[in-house]
Amino acid sequence: MASAKAHIKLQRVSVRKANLVAALIRNKDVATAISILKNTPNKSAALLLKLLNSAIANAVNNHGMSGDKLFVSQVLINEGPTLKRFQPRSQGRAYSILKRTSNFSLEVSEK
């Protein structure tokens, strides 16, 4: 079974929040996944929509697949490097803030 992939790295979304959206489109056909992502009000939904469109373009242009028969076969969201920041607090203290990043990987295959 042929497949096409697309990746985005170092996106400023936590892995936990992005995985909630990724679970919505896993193993769905491409048209359904696009409509789900367009109607999900989430930052990671917009990122996954761009990634899905890129994977579809890779499948059609580079691998000669039919765009009608594609489905989302795999969505991986892995943890990227964490940016460490500090919030000044009273009496000279500093609280740490962890700004988490994610690496997105999406694969589409033909039915």
Side-chain angles (χ1 to χ4, degrees):
M1 179 175 4
S3 63
K5 297 180 182 181
H7 307 283
I8 303 177
K9 293 188 176 185
L10 301 177
Q11 295 303 303
R12 279 281 295 114
V13 172
S14 72
V15 176
R16 291 175 71 181
K17 292 178 182 179
N19 267 325
L20 293 173
V21 178
L24 296 174
I25 64 167
R26 231 174 239 128
N27 298 320
K28 300 268 192 314
D29 63 297
V30 169
T32 307
I34 288 173
S35 64
I36 289 170
L37 290 175
K38 281 186 178 179
N39 293 307
T40 304
N42 199 322
K43 182 178 180 179
S44 55
L47 294 170
L48 280 169
L49 181 61
K50 288 178 76 171
L51 189 63
L52 179 59
N53 287 330
S54 176
I56 293 167
N58 289 343
V60 172
N61 296 325
N62 298 344
H63 299 287
M65 295 185 213
S66 172
D68 305 336
K69 300 176 184 176
L70 294 175
F71 75 101
V72 180
S73 59
Q74 189 176 31
V75 182
L76 289 177
I77 300 174
N78 294 320
E79 190 175 335
T82 302
L83 305 173
K84 292 168 180 71
R85 302 290 182 258
F86 292 101
Q87 174 75 37
R89 302 302 286 198
S90 63
Q91 300 181 3
R93 292 183 179 92
Y95 286 1
S96 63
I97 296 174
L98 300 177
K99 296 190 177 271
R100 302 185 185 276
T101 61
S102 302
N103 297 328
F104 292 68
S105 178
L106 190 139
E107 183 177 320
V108 292
S109 301
E110 276 189 327
K111 291 182 184 177

